[in-house]
Amino acid sequence: MPDKICDLTSHISDDPLAPRGFPQATQTLCTWQRVFLVALLVGLVAWTVFDHHNALLTINIVLSLFYLATTLYRMLIIDAALRHRVELNYTPEQLQRPPDGKQWPRYMVILPMYHEKDVLPQLIEGLSQLDYPKDRLEIRLLIEEDDAETMDAAREMNLQPPFKIVPIPKSYPRTKPKACNVGIENGEADLLVIYDAEDHPEPDQLKKAAWAFHDVPDNVACIQAKLGYYNPRQNLLTRFFTAEYATWFGLCLPGLDRLQAPIPLGGTSNHFRLNILRKVKGWDEYNVTEDCDLGLRLFSMGYRTRILESTTWEQACPYVPFWIKQRSRWVKGYVQTYCIHTRDFFRFHERMGFLNSLQFHLLIGGTFLSQLINPLYWVMTFLWLVWRPEGLDQYFPVPIFAMGSFCLFVGNFVFIYTTALACIRRGVGYLAKLSFLMPFYWMMMSVAAWKGTLQLLWAPHHWEKTKHFANQQPPQN
Amino acid sequence: MAHSVNPFSAQFGHSFERKLLTALGYCAIIVFLYMMPHRESEAMQVHEAIVQALRAGTTWGRQAFIGSFARPVLPSLALLCCTILSEVIGTNAAILMVSLSQGLALIFLCRALVKVRSWYLAPLPVALVLAIPTLRQAMMRLDPNWLTALPVAAAAYFLVQWSRKHRLRDVMLVSLNLGLLAFCGVVPAIAGAIAVIVFYVQHRCWLKSQNQSADGAGTIILSTFLYCAFLWLLWNWLVMDNPFFPFHELAEFPKSVTQARVYAQFQARAEAIAACLFVLCPLVIVRNKSHFGGSAMTLVPLFVIPVLAVPVCFAGNIPLTGLVPMICATLLAAFVILLDADFAKPVVYTAAYLAGAVCCVAIWIAPALTRRDSPRELRNGAPDPKEITEFIDQFWPDSRTMLYGVELPALFPDPTEQRFVARVDYQEQDLLTQAHDEQMHLLVPPPTSGFYPKKGHPLADIHANGRPWLLLEKTWPNGWQLYRLVQPPKNESRLDFLRQLNP
């Protein structure tokens, strides 16, 4: 192995919660969080036993206020995205020459792989089409040492530069972020991007990102390209998934960018200034959504993320069991990330500022919490609509009823409607009609959210790997 | 078409001073409208009663809030919000609601004019309202249905934006505002539905002209209106146990309207209707000649349908829910859009000519269009509530009086339901059940009062034929009747044993 330029794997601290010098997901909850959660739980149960009316009423009021706040916040994000296009965009003419007029910055592409033999040929073909000077590019395939099949397949392909195979030594935790950290410990480059094994980035994406880094201020550490799916027509699930991604990358992330809010990074196509990434010590190898964590860590350290108008095409998971696994990992990671960042509660809020903290709670906390409590409110709504049970209304005094009605009748429609808008904006307008069936997809999201949250209790670091299928036809660039 | 550069924008950009100045200007418009003298209206009286009952949590409050075409949801909701706000800031809720609706509508039109022409023309819609007595008089009427002008004006503003930039956000907001008309009464709802379809066609044509896919355009444009309509049906199902409840009221309306009456009403307003059509000509011409053609065409149904509905409403003696505000707002919106018409040179003269034509129509049309044979008053000879209670108290001090409909209970507001109980829908079985539990009276207005359709309505039948279980206790000279329900409360009749023998 070449000499390390930086060490992103060794433990430098005795603190079990921050072995590499920053808060990590070695444990999800710190002591005070555990005490607080247990006390809260016990307190609520006791209150419900002794005075169930007031206890349930209070819980309902708090949850309704939370729902209202997240709904209004989501509306704000989407309006911000629709008002002005903030995505960094470049014309083909601009991309004819390097941003500084002399030479293109050195680019490192990393691809963590584990049991990806089947998709390797497609991957190599897709990456070969990247329009970037080969002498300024290095593509690293990060393959686990014990993954003999992928390693053999890669070696059999007799890959030439810019491709390079980087074996990842077997060590724990065996996660994608650990592989990424190992993969960037050495090597010279100005910029870095991470792709997944099934990714097909638009050929000019690296050039666009290079231009973008040239144009934005130095504190922009990351540029996130958009993700899209190349197999939306495969089945209903892939259609739903495509519509959801269209909303997230087409409206939500640009909206967050416009609001200058913390941006949880998407799993791939994150372009970084490599020196900053090394400075912030790379990814948290214990976190199962290391991308989300890194985005927030960068923000809390004063760095910013911008959105690039360029798409990386991925494969939408077409089967429900695999989809649930993938989604449960995402939710688990969001919960982990939320808990980790609020460990040092007061300093975190002081560092972020009031508005950014609020946005963090609404976005990160709001995402998983709403998915967890949605089933409860769906059941109550169903009961109210169909059976109208006696006594349910005592938990809905007029202001709470008004808030609940707003979220039910307006909020849900806004989410559905914005999905339709996002589909049109992302060029998959034929999926707009499908947005009216999204509530069924939300139900699946809630199932996955509960699975992920419960899994956090017994297997917090278990990585539910996304299954990639080789039989899908990738897009023709 | 090249758009003039807004010098104000160019000079000040989006500076704080500019925003502050604009906000102050907007506040001044609303404060001015609030300070204007206002005339009471029967519509406001009804909506105030609905809000009062809604806050008290009565069944009638919920029913009247949802289940009436004549007294639509959105004005009641806005009045409710303004009532709560007024308690905090100490203003008159009704005036606040009307002035906010009018003010925001005017602000949208002013902003549209800034987008179309230039910032120095921004005060023109306000000046027009002040200068044209008809519009001024209409705006002084304290009618909660002025809220209808707000989505119309907002739709016009976003139509202008759509014409200029064709952004997805503008498409969404035009659709949303037109969709909200579904909550503003039957005629605004019909006009909104047609306008949404016209807008969809216009947008689709534009997409095709740009070789862009129209996939999903129908979904986002039509779904807002459809969803609003669906919500309204859903709420009717939840509150009235019948999603189509208001349609029954509407279905009874043709029974009391003859073709001859409608014809007579049209004839009486022939000049005004012709004048309205005069506005349509330039709008339609603009369709093919101007950058704002699509916007102009979308405005056409918002203008034509209310104008045609006015004589029909008069013929049926049904409230002109939102029609006058809608016509006023659409006229001003047409004025704004026509001001930029460029189908002849020089542009300024053409614009001035067209806008002048609209003003002339505005001056002339409204009084002719809304002229009444006899002014409608809500009280319409109704007995005084005190008179009724004093009469009942002579023999039945605990008896409550049952009232049916939306307008009639608004005359006898009793949020605590101590003396008057109200329901929107007449359910005979429920009334009889209640009469078993307590002593009740029933107040029935004459069929000519306009509180219910003259033919086919159960109250019309009761007024004419009574019921075996109703005892007529008092009749007023103008035909109002007060009945006592002669079903004795449970366990209070000496003949109760007969009930047990023969249940």
Side-chain angles (χ1 to χ4, degrees), chain A residues 79 83 388 409 417 421, chain B residues 167 169 172 220 227 238:
Chain A
D79 185 60
R83 270 177 190 273
R388 302 184 199 179
F409 296 124
Y417 192 75
L421 282 176
Chain B
R167 289 185 312 183
R169 181 173 182 268
M172 174 188 85
I220 60 160
Y227 182 69
L238 290 171

Side-chain angles (χ1 to χ4, degrees), chain A residues 54-121:
Chain A
N54 282 329
L56 294 178
L57 182 64
T58 308
I59 292 169
N60 189 33
I61 290 171
V62 171
L63 292 182
S64 298
L65 285 169
F66 158 77
Y67 252 122
L68 184 71
T70 45
T71 304
L72 292 176
Y73 179 58
R74 188 56 78 96
M75 287 161 78
L76 176 73
I77 291 174
I78 286 164
D79 185 60
L82 287 171
R83 270 177 190 273
H84 303 284
R85 276 200 177 266
V86 289
E87 296 96 320
L88 299 160
N89 199 7
Y90 297 92
T91 60
E93 292 72 38
Q94 278 176 289
L95 302 180
Q96 295 296 317
R97 58 183 181 81
D100 64 357
K102 294 172 191 163
Q103 60 179 354
W104 290 93
R106 290 166 301 170
Y107 231 114
M108 184 189 288
V109 178
I110 56 170
L111 291 118
M113 307 179 80
Y114 192 55
H115 296 303
E116 302 284 7
K117 181 187 74 151
D118 295 341
V119 295
L120 196 58

Side-chain angles (χ1 to χ4, degrees), chain B residues 486-500:
Chain B
V486 289
Q487 298 256 347
K490 275 178 190 167
N491 306 322
E492 285 187 17
S493 168
R494 291 174 208 156
L495 302 177
D496 268 347
F497 70 95
L498 283 176
R499 281 191 207 159
Q500 286 157 9

